[in-house]
Amino acid sequence: MSDLNNIAIKILENGKGILAADESTGTMTKRLDSVNVPSTSENRLLFRETLFSSSSMTECIGGVILYDETIKQVSSNKNKIPELISKMGAAPGIKVDTGAKALAGSPDEKITEGLDGLRERLKEYYKLGAKFTKWRGVYNISKDYPSKLSIHSNAHALARYSALVQECGMVPIVEPEVLMDGEHSDKDCYNKTSEVIQKCFEELILHKVDLKGIILKPNMILPGNKSKDNISSEEIAKLTLKCLKNSVPSEVPGIAFLSGGQSEIEATENLNLINKYNNTNFILSFSYGRALQQSALKFWSKDINNIEGTQRVFNHRAKMNTLAAQGKWSRELEI
Ligand code: 13P
């Protein structure tokens, strides 16, 4: 087994998943504004180190994706943040793209930037302790979108990023996110997501990326959030599995879903059913941002010094998702 394959499996084995705490300062400010906490670098660190020092980190979280600001911060008890995460038994990771901008030639769509100078930045993050990285391509669905141009150019960027990350000895998370926004049906989501993922693998293979040393981070197959379609969690799970089985090469060791705007319970319930019906050899787990942090953030905002209480809320959500990643969750376990 290669080193990269080992890292990928260790992050996701035994029901462990990834805490996506890599919100850019802009996004984190929106999250903190929504609960009326000032977005200072101290507050961003306090919330995050509260999560990173929770007991569930050892059992339930195999990796944490950080933002550039956080990977360079030091916790209140003088631990460098990547060291704190490693001590808790998880792997530190880092978002390395620099965000999605309007795509020239199709300005209603987005292209993710950050390839310039990436090799040098990766070396710096590796020295800071990062074991894996993330790059997110983003696609919106409508009658004409995602266009061939967006599918092609984002896949190309994801592949160039992945090749550089593996060259530097880290595992790339390949995240092509087909957004939930819109009126589209689950069939549209299925078709577009399949096309997007297949193109990504075509480019990854062209760029000689070792597929055993990546983690795929896709969306689940869902109808748009403004769609009139009603679809059960069972159907979501079965469509998601069918899409992955048909589009993801079998060498890929693990797939960790994004939550993408689903509620905490929806994201857990869907992951649980995906694992119950899993007819693939992939490890299927979570790499949630909002669906792991929402309740904890709300609780914390009422008293930002209530560390224990906040950790209790986070531990519960992490535990529920770890059970779901093994198909062992049930609604009665929710409090
Ligand atoms: P959500 O789970 O909130 O969608 O965030 C995951 C993520 O990392 C998006 O890039």
Side-chain angles (χ1 to χ4, degrees):
M1 232 192 285
S2 74
D3 288 352
L4 296 180
N5 183 253
N6 263 327
I7 295 172
I9 290 175
K10 203 159 171 271
I11 291 172
L12 299 179
E13 69 187 353
N14 303 325
K16 285 187 184 179
I18 298 169
L19 166 61
D22 60 321
E23 298 85 358
S24 64
T25 301
T27 303
M28 196 59 190
T29 298
K30 274 189 219 149
R31 303 262 191 276
L32 291 175
D33 283 352
S34 75
V35 292
N36 298 314
V37 174
S39 180
T40 59
S41 90
E42 290 77 18
N43 285 343
R44 293 193 289 272
L45 175 63
L46 179 58
F47 178 64
R48 286 167 163 160
E49 71 164 286
T50 300
L51 303 188
F52 304 162
S53 44
S54 302
S55 59
S56 58
M57 286 286 297
T58 307
E59 250 183 87
C60 306
I61 304 294
V64 179
I65 319 175
L66 299 167
Y67 183 59
D68 180 74
E69 175 185 60
T70 326
I71 201 170
K72 295 170 181 165
Q73 283 174 320
V74 175
S75 74
S76 49
N77 55 0
K78 305 280 176 279
N79 270 307
K80 290 181 178 158
I81 291 297
E83 283 168 13
L84 166 65
I85 292 167
S86 302
K87 271 190 200 159
M88 297 302 292
I94 180 79
K95 184 226 299 284
V96 301
D97 68 65
T98 55
K101 308 282 158 56
L103 173 62
S106 186
D108 291 335
E109 298 186 280
K110 298 263 170 72
I111 179 70
T112 302
E113 296 188 340
L115 288 171
D116 286 354
L118 180 58
R119 181 179 269 134
E120 289 67 36
R121 285 195 293 125
L122 291 174
K123 284 183 190 149
E124 186 195 352
Y125 289 137
Y126 184 82
K127 273 197 206 137
L128 289 169
K131 300 277 181 270
F132 71 102
T133 64
K134 176 187 122 171
W135 179 291
R136 171 175 174 260
V138 59
Y139 313 80
N140 47 307
I141 298 187
S142 68
K143 194 165 89 21
D144 301 318
Y145 300 143
S147 65
K148 295 270 180 235
L149 175 61
S150 128
I151 292 174
H152 188 112
S153 49
N154 276 296
H156 177 83
L158 276 162
R160 284 186 57 198
Y161 140 82
S162 298
L164 284 165
V165 171
Q166 289 192 337
E167 179 191 89
C168 194
M170 296 182 283
V171 169
I173 292 189
V174 176
E175 180 179 4
E177 175 175 9
V178 179
L179 293 171
M180 214 166 122
D181 305 342
E183 296 176 356
H184 55 270
S185 66
D186 49 291
K187 304 279 172 309
D188 293 330
C189 180
Y190 178 93
N191 291 331
K192 299 297 183 186
T193 303
S194 302
E195 195 182 343
V196 161
I197 292 179
Q198 284 167 22
K199 191 69 184 177
C200 284
F201 282 103
E202 199 183 306
E203 290 285 322
L204 288 167
I205 291 165
L206 187 67
H207 286 79
K208 305 196 184 332
V209 172
D210 173 9
L211 299 185
K212 293 194 184 76
I214 72 160
I215 293 172
L216 179 69
K217 175 164 173 168
N219 48 284
M220 294 179 190
I221 305 300
L222 302 162
N225 57 6
K226 296 198 189 87
S227 158
K228 288 172 202 83
D229 295 354
N230 223 339
I231 163 170
S232 67
S233 290
E234 277 78 10
E235 284 172 281
I236 291 169
K238 286 179 180 164
L239 279 174
T240 302
L241 285 165
K242 188 171 162 202
C243 169
L244 297 172
K245 209 173 157 87
N246 290 338
S247 303
V248 182
S250 58
E251 295 98 303
V252 173
I255 297 177
F257 295 99
L258 57 94
S259 60
Q262 298 179 70
S263 72
E264 289 182 341
I265 303 286
E266 275 167 354
T268 303
E269 179 169 30
N270 290 336
L271 179 64
N272 186 57
L273 289 172
I274 287 171
N275 275 287
K276 259 199 167 149
Y277 299 135
N278 187 4
N279 54 355
T280 72
N281 290 322
F282 305 123
I283 304 178
L284 299 171
S285 189
F286 58 91
S287 175
Y288 292 163
R290 284 161 286 179
L292 268 174
Q293 299 183 62
Q294 231 158 44
S295 296
L297 181 67
K298 234 188 205 163
F299 185 94
W300 174 77
S301 70
K302 294 193 191 104
D303 173 5
I304 64 170
N305 294 311
N306 187 351
I307 306 298
E308 248 183 68
T310 306
Q311 291 183 334
R312 211 175 319 116
V313 177
F314 175 70
N315 285 337
H316 172 71
R317 212 58 259 137
K319 179 80 187 156
M320 292 299 102
N321 283 307
T322 285
L323 289 171
Q326 300 168 93
K328 292 180 184 164
W329 173 86
S330 67
R331 210 167 259 275
E332 300 78 65
L333 297 169
E334 294 291 345
I335 40 176

